[in-house]
Amino acid sequence: MPMRQDCKYFESRTYPNGDTVRKCDLDLAPHAPWRCPEDCPKYAPRLVDVNWQHGTLVTPETPVEPPGLDEDDGSIAALLDAAEDIVNAVGAEMVADVERERREAESPRWKRLFKRSRKKDS
């Protein structure tokens, strides 16, 4: 079944360079951007968009399916899961770096000026 654009969990975003992301916000479509699961347990039709102003933009057409999508042995989902694990691992590290920088920026200026240089572990 093609991506259900009428599902409230469907999201499409086009970036200034022309790239388009079509996805399920619940991460339940392993074959996105081409297909939704035939019997998706979370499918819910998009309800009335109250008080929204709609422009003239439309969701781009679904890209052409790659060959062999019907013969998927789970490798696509495994690859996407591995990529997600990498991003999640780096994300925690980035949050820690930002928090450290924020604490340093909030410390008194004299402490920052006279702070001993730390040796970085390599």
Side-chain angles (χ1 to χ4, degrees):
M1 158 162 295
M3 291 292 290
R4 293 181 177 124
Q5 297 181 22
D6 63 332
C7 178
K8 72 178 185 179
Y9 301 112
F10 172 79
E11 181 179 333
S12 176
R13 178 172 296 157
T14 302
Y15 293 95
N17 66 357
D19 289 345
T20 301
V21 174
R22 298 166 47 89
K23 67 180 186 123
C24 171
D25 283 337
L26 301 178
D27 200 21
L28 295 176
H31 294 120
W34 306 285
R35 298 181 185 171
C36 285
E38 191 70 36
D39 54 351
C40 181
K42 296 290 185 176
Y43 169 74
R46 189 178 304 270
L47 300 176
V48 178
D49 296 330
V50 177
N51 207 19
W52 284 26
Q53 293 182 356
H54 293 275
T56 57
L57 297 177
V58 294
T59 304
E61 291 185 28
T62 304
V64 178
E65 289 186 6
L69 191 62
D70 289 328
E71 301 148 12
D72 180 31
D73 57 355
S75 60
I76 294 172
L79 176 65
L80 293 175
D81 287 341
E84 186 176 18
D85 291 343
I86 291 169
V87 170
N88 289 340
V90 173
E93 203 173 298
M94 290 174 60
V95 168
D97 287 345
V98 168
E99 287 175 357
R100 180 184 46 76
E101 289 173 2
R102 187 175 294 145
R103 281 192 307 271
E104 287 177 0
E106 292 172 353
S107 67
R109 188 164 187 231
W110 65 270
K111 281 187 176 181
R112 285 183 273 151
L113 290 174
F114 295 107
K115 180 175 74 171
R116 293 183 184 189
S117 62
R118 298 178 186 174
K119 293 182 181 178
K120 292 188 177 183
D121 295 332
S122 296

